[in-house]
Amino acid sequence: MIVKLPCVRDWHDHDLTGLLQHRRTSHGRGTRGARSGEAFCARRSIVGDRSLPSRGRIPGTSHSSDGELERADSGLRSLVSVQGALTIQAIHSFGSSEQHARWLLGLVSGERVGCFALTEHGHGSDPDEMETRAERDGDYYVLNGSKCWIGNASIADVKVVWAKDEDGRVGGFVLEKDAPGFRARDIEGKFSLRMSRTSECWFENCRIPAENRLPNASGLKAPLSCLLYARTGIAWGVIGAAIDCYETAMTYAKEREQFGRPIAGFQLVQQKLVWMAQEITKAQLLALRLTRLMETGAARPAQISLAKRNNVWMALQCA
Ligand SMILES: Cc1cc2nc3c(=O)[nH]c(=O)nc-3n(C[C@H](O)[C@H](O)[C@H](O)COP(=O)(O)OP(=O)(O)OC[C@H]3O[C@@H](n4cnc5c(N)ncnc54)[C@H](O)[C@@H]3O)c2cc1C
């Protein structure tokens, strides 16, 4: 049986329609759209629920809301993933208590937009080869390099940037809005995920206070651990896309008449709808089991990838 999250679904059905039309037609551009999207999410505690376990989230709902978001638009789920699973998660996991106090509240409330900059123009699947450098200069770090395909980089107030220090060790460095030496440009003309903004950005002698380095992020495993949360969100999110396909197909099959009756009355059509309902239900169980494992810290990366792989395949088959 397909499970739905009523509170997020109501919000989608009643509040999101106008926002989605605006974002789709403007190809994801305009700060108003991105900021209002984050604010909507924050109002429903969707971003915060998943990101700050200590704040008392409802067990099991942290990533399941991704399904309802993606039922609306994959770009909306992506936007929330960047804010929650990547930016907030990085600061929450690897930041000091002072850094938590400084940045997390605004990010969780949606008043501040975050981004997570790992990928570079020449280094995507292999981020260990990253060229961006952060060199210590007294009480500052000076960043040089570039990043590409970064969600919300051009409008982000809080940017978590991954760069190598003088020892060649990957570290996390937080840039605040308008840091000198930082510039970004949106990538235009994406064929999909048009609702979410994606940017390339450059750091040219970009000077940030040394205290902006995340003290507990040491090595590439830090950003990679955040990607595990993002993958879990995708495993949930694509279920929403599949549910939308199922509901659309079901509605059409009931309305469309051929040979004197709705095509939903033909067993070959029913078989396709049943397959979708069956695989969506199995995908939900897989994602729920994964979330339970993550809540106890027992999930392994291979299990996370397996859930994402299966559920993405399932959604593509439904489509
Ligand atoms: C819409 C969008 C939003 C994004 N948002 C962010 C973000 O917010 N932050 C961020 O840091 N990054 C972001 N990314 C970047 C994303 O994570 C990278 O696209 C990803 O890491 C792959 O890198 P690449 O695109 O450079 O592909 P490449 O690494 O160049 O790979 C090209 C192809 O080769 C294949 N390939 C590579 N290596 C192997 C191998 N060893 N074996 C078999 N096949 C291989 C890949 O699967 C792929 O099909 C975003 C990307 C997109 C499209």
Side-chain angles (χ1 to χ4, degrees):
M1 188 183 71
I2 297 173
V3 179
K4 300 167 186 173
L5 268 187
C7 68
V8 188
R9 176 158 292 216
D10 288 350
W11 165 64
H12 157 251
D13 289 344
H14 298 127
D15 295 351
L16 259 185
T17 312
L19 172 67
L20 289 174
Q21 280 168 354
H22 166 75
R23 299 296 307 276
R24 282 177 180 145
T25 51
S26 62
H27 299 189
R29 297 173 67 190
T31 54
R32 188 182 143 264
R35 286 179 185 284
S36 50
E38 294 299 346
F40 272 123
C41 297
R43 206 162 66 209
R44 291 288 178 172
S45 300
I46 289 167
V47 171
D49 273 357
R50 109 205 29 231
S51 310
L52 298 175
S54 59
R55 291 173 76 90
R57 69 181 180 202
I58 307 163
T61 62
S62 52
H63 281 288
S64 51
S65 53
D66 282 317
E68 290 300 331
L69 295 175
E70 191 137 354
R71 188 174 79 86
D73 193 293
S74 298
L76 181 63
R77 197 271 312 141
S78 171
L79 183 151
V80 171
S81 285
V82 168
Q83 182 88 354
L86 297 178
T87 312
I88 294 175
Q89 190 68 46
I91 295 172
H92 184 248
S93 298
F94 306 114
S96 64
S97 50
E98 292 78 25
Q99 291 172 334
H100 291 175
R102 192 163 149 204
W103 292 311
L104 285 186
L105 206 59
L107 288 168
V108 170
S109 71
E111 283 156 28
R112 304 181 92 187
V113 174
C115 78
F116 178 97
L118 177 65
T119 304
E120 300 189 349
H121 293 81
H123 310 287
S125 305
D126 189 11
D128 202 25
E129 293 297 314
M130 70 172 66
E131 294 171 43
T132 302
R133 291 288 180 273
E135 290 184 3
R136 186 77 188 242
D137 180 17
D139 291 338
Y140 295 87
Y141 276 102
V142 180
L143 273 69
N144 279 290
S146 68
K147 298 285 176 182
C148 195
W149 297 110
I150 308 305
N152 282 336
S154 65
I155 60 162
D157 305 291
V158 179
K159 307 177 235 303
V160 175
V161 178
W162 301 96
K164 284 186 176 170
D165 63 16
E166 301 92 332
D167 300 326
R169 179 166 285 273
V170 173
F173 301 86
V174 179
L175 273 64
E176 295 191 271
K177 199 165 181 62
D178 302 325
F182 171 84
R183 68 187 166 89
R185 183 175 62 192
D186 287 342
I187 296 170
E188 305 287 353
K190 292 206 305 283
F191 284 171
S192 59
L193 289 176
R194 289 153 71 98
M195 185 180 162
S196 75
R197 173 192 303 271
T198 317
S199 319
E200 52 185 335
C201 50
W202 294 267
F203 314 92
E204 289 156 346
N205 292 321
C206 179
R207 186 173 285 266
I208 62 165
E211 69 209 28
N212 283 22
R213 181 172 188 166
L214 300 176
N216 302 318
S218 178
L220 191 63
K221 67 179 187 304
L224 295 188
S225 73
C226 299
L227 296 181
L228 295 178
Y229 287 91
R231 287 191 189 108
T232 306
I234 292 170
W236 275 108
V238 292
I239 295 172
I243 290 175
D244 192 39
C245 292
Y246 170 74
E247 291 178 342
T248 302
M250 175 70 92
T251 301
Y252 181 76
K254 284 179 177 171
E255 287 171 3
R256 178 70 175 169
E257 293 192 5
Q258 290 290 288
F259 303 99
R261 59 178 165 139
I263 59 171
F266 300 118
Q267 285 189 326
L268 279 178
V269 175
Q270 291 170 4
Q271 192 271 341
K272 291 178 187 173
L273 293 168
V274 167
W275 188 91
M276 291 165 86
Q278 163 196 302
E279 292 301 320
I280 288 168
T281 304
K282 283 158 62 180
Q284 286 181 322
L285 290 170
L286 185 59
L288 184 62
R289 174 69 182 140
L290 175 64
T291 300
R292 294 279 183 259
L293 287 173
M294 291 191 77
E295 284 171 350
T296 59
R300 286 183 278 120
Q303 293 169 321
I304 295 169
S305 293
L306 188 118
K308 179 191 164 197
R309 176 185 157 87
N310 177 79
N311 291 6
V312 168
W313 166 81
M314 177 280 299
L316 286 171
Q317 292 299 311
C318 286

